[in-house]
Amino acid sequence: MEPTKRVYIQNFGCQMNDYDVDRMIEVLRKDGFEAATSVEDADLIVLNSCAIREKSEHKVQSAAGRLRELKARRPGVTLAIGGCVAQQEGDRLLRRVPTADFTFGPDQIPALPALLAKMRDGRRFAATGVIDVEDYQFLDADPQPGDVKVTALVTIQKGCDNHCAYCVVPQTRGREVSRPAGEVVAEVARFVALGAREVTLVGQNVNSYHAIGTPDGDDFAELLRLVGAVPGLLRLRYITSHPKDFTHKVAEAFRQLPSVMPFLHLPVQAGSSRTLKRMVRGYTREEYLEKLDYARAQCPDLSLSTDIIVGYPGETDAEFAETLSLLERVEYDNIYSFTYSERPDTPALKLLQRDDVPADVKDARLLQVQTVQRQITQRRLERFVGRVGEVLVEGESRHASHQLCGRLPGNEMVNFDRPPGLDLVGQLAPVRITAAGTYTLTGAYAGAARTRLPVVSA
Ligand code: SAH
Ligand code: SF4
Ligand code: F3S
């Protein structure tokens, strides 16, 4: 029998890459691999890359650089680079990272064993394949009992058909394909059967999901209903929503479907309709706000987050001021903010939008956005202090082993002291919030756990 091989994966990027890493592990396990505890005891190292900004791309190259010495010392170790940079750059990445044995795109994950076999020829190669195939087949998750956490991701779509002018994703992930609803529901049920209690449906634009054929065309709202009915599933979330496709019916699900959690990540990118137009986002400031207001009317305690890009080509001081005023108007719970990063072959370049905002202006705008938001986030977190919230307990806190952590329905992270003699992991626990930190909350367990759900068999 061949000795067991060990794989170590370092991941970068978004929810799509997180999902992909778990599939890689499953595929490699069937090929005789088990997880390594560090790069030092790995036979195969995979860097799963992200191409969204220049900095993200650099991260994978520096990670590969740090492995140069290890590769020299242990030439038998294989280094593979997967993910979006691998897909976009192919051979060019192979040339830039001389220590990489091969690169592979996100759609090549099922072929990993074959790629490892091919490597034995001794020649380096880039496996990017064709990403826009007819009848695209999703790779089903095949979790084993020990793998499943309280929260799980389930992909509902690949690729993206939008053409936001700044974005590389349509190139790295190809055309949008919706995963059949039956596969989605079956996968959710598999995770729940193994102990997951919360599922996040993932895609780059979940609102344009279209694999059901409902008469009103709102397939995503219908998918929420179908998934929400999976027995044993306590909480349902989804990322990422695109404002232009986010419908009233999907907003109504916050009120109508008990498992749909009061949390919405609705990336706005900029507060000025003129900037949004240059970004080719497909909505105005006013249309965005109308949808948010409707969602908040459905669910007054909705927690909201967004993505912001500052320093987009042509962004004037006045346009930027509209981003700040939007933050004040909406009062997001949380934001993810970035300076514009010019990406190869994106529509922005073809639209002759030169990266003309100077780096120091971009940095100053980013700082301003983050300063304004820090206070808003603080205020929003403080609204919980003194209240008892329902926390889905995920496990031991990262800060202290005597504490547990979990999230409120709105996705706010709560740390609280472990009550002696109670194993609350996977349960909904009432927790009184006692203090608000910068990004997380602290609380105290407030009574007997309400639900102990049986593990539902598949
Ligand atoms: N599909 C999601 C976003 C995926 S990328 C959506 O449309 O909302 C995550 C975030 O990265 C984007 O929302 C955007 O804020 C940021 N981003 C994407 N391309 C970027 C670029 N070229 N420069 C800076 N930030 C970028
Ligand atoms: Fe990129 Fe726009 Fe697609 Fe999001 S919706 S992945 S920002 S092209
Ligand atoms: Fe990055 Fe690819 Fe996700 S570019 S953001 S890992 S889809």
Side-chain angles (χ1 to χ4, degrees), residues 434-450:
T434 51
T438 319
Y439 296 107
T440 59
L441 297 165
T442 308
Y445 180 62
R450 267 177 230 159

Side-chain angles (χ1 to χ4, degrees), residues 242-389:
H242 193 302
K244 86 175 155 51
D245 300 316
F246 181 79
T247 60
H248 282 187
K249 205 166 162 193
V250 170
E252 285 153 16
F254 288 124
R255 185 169 47 79
Q256 291 167 350
L257 300 176
S259 54
V260 173
M261 288 295 103
F263 167 72
L264 177 63
H265 179 62
L266 198 62
V268 68
Q269 314 298 357
S272 149
S273 297
R274 272 172 304 163
T275 316
L276 289 170
K277 189 153 192 217
R278 291 198 305 283
M279 289 178 166
V280 196
R281 282 291 283 181
Y283 53 87
T284 62
R285 175 188 176 103
E286 291 68 32
E287 285 160 354
Y288 178 88
L289 288 173
E290 187 279 326
K291 290 191 180 186
L292 261 195
D293 290 344
Y294 188 80
R296 272 197 165 144
Q298 296 299 309
C299 177
D301 208 21
L302 189 65
S303 290
L304 279 168
S305 67
T306 200
D307 293 343
I308 300 282
I309 298 177
V310 300
Y312 188 71
E315 187 184 65
T316 60
D317 286 339
E319 286 177 21
F320 172 65
E322 290 191 67
T323 294
L324 293 178
S325 73
L326 184 100
L327 296 181
E328 298 281 10
R329 154 78 159 77
V330 174
E331 298 199 292
Y332 294 100
D333 293 82
N334 206 355
I335 67 165
Y336 302 87
S337 50
F338 315 99
T339 52
Y340 171 67
S341 168
E342 193 171 77
R343 305 308 294 135
D345 306 321
T346 46
L349 309 186
K350 293 177 203 118
L351 296 168
L352 296 178
Q353 296 181 354
R354 275 195 317 111
D355 184 9
D356 58 359
V357 178
D360 57 338
V361 175
K362 281 185 189 166
D363 290 344
R365 286 181 185 170
L366 187 68
L367 189 66
Q368 252 184 299
V369 155
Q370 293 176 345
T371 308
V372 166
Q373 183 58 36
R374 192 165 305 125
Q375 289 176 14
I376 299 173
T377 295
Q378 187 76 56
R379 265 205 314 272
R380 291 288 293 166
L381 282 176
E382 272 161 12
R383 82 187 194 276
F384 293 108
V385 176
R387 279 164 59 180
V388 173

